Amino acid sequence: LLSPKSIKNTAYLLGMMADFMLPIFEGRNRYHIPKVDTGADRNFKIRYVDTIKKFDILLKQLYKSRLVAVDTETNSLNRIVTILQTLQFSMDGKIAYVIPYIHKDAPWSSKELKYIKEKLRDYFERNNNHYQIYTNAKFDLNVLRAVLGVRFYRSKVWDIIAGHSVYDENAKLMRTVTGTGFMNLKNLSM
């Protein structure tokens, strides 16, 4: 028997199935990401920021950019009590900038580290970026807040995981099948 609830759930399921089958009919995935090669054949450049001069140049570019992708690497999954090992930035997807912060390969003196911390805090609080893009922003933003002392974030934040979850409202029906995980926002609360 069809009830209002089963009709609603059936509509969600049909919408989701149509979304998943669309690539079959179109012959391509609308979310296709070009292959990222690593090693000697990689199709992007990595710039290692290991001097204050390189850091200052990067900072000027970050301030000028409309979109900036940000990622952090830490020594644990604890987002408050943690050691920030590296910060990565990209403004065009073609060049990744890596700043070793508290890392075994970090070249910084304590004076230089203090300078970098102050400049990065100022950047996050005063930039004119239209968006900063994160994967799991709840983690990265809390790490930046705890480690750099960032009090507020000037730019809009786009979280890829949250954005995908919100983008497809029909995915909520899949929660009954998949439980908590990628298709809902609960995974952001780590």
Side-chain angles (χ1 to χ4, degrees), residues 9-24:
N9 287 344
T10 302
Y12 285 139
L13 183 59
L14 289 174
M16 210 164 164
M17 290 300 296
D19 195 39
F20 288 139
M21 294 178 68
L22 200 57
I24 296 169

Side-chain angles (χ1 to χ4, degrees), residues 111-122:
K111 184 179 177 183
E112 289 172 324
L113 205 53
K114 183 178 179 185
Y115 173 82
I116 290 168
K117 180 179 179 177
E118 289 171 359
K119 291 295 184 180
L120 284 172
R121 182 180 54 236
D122 287 346

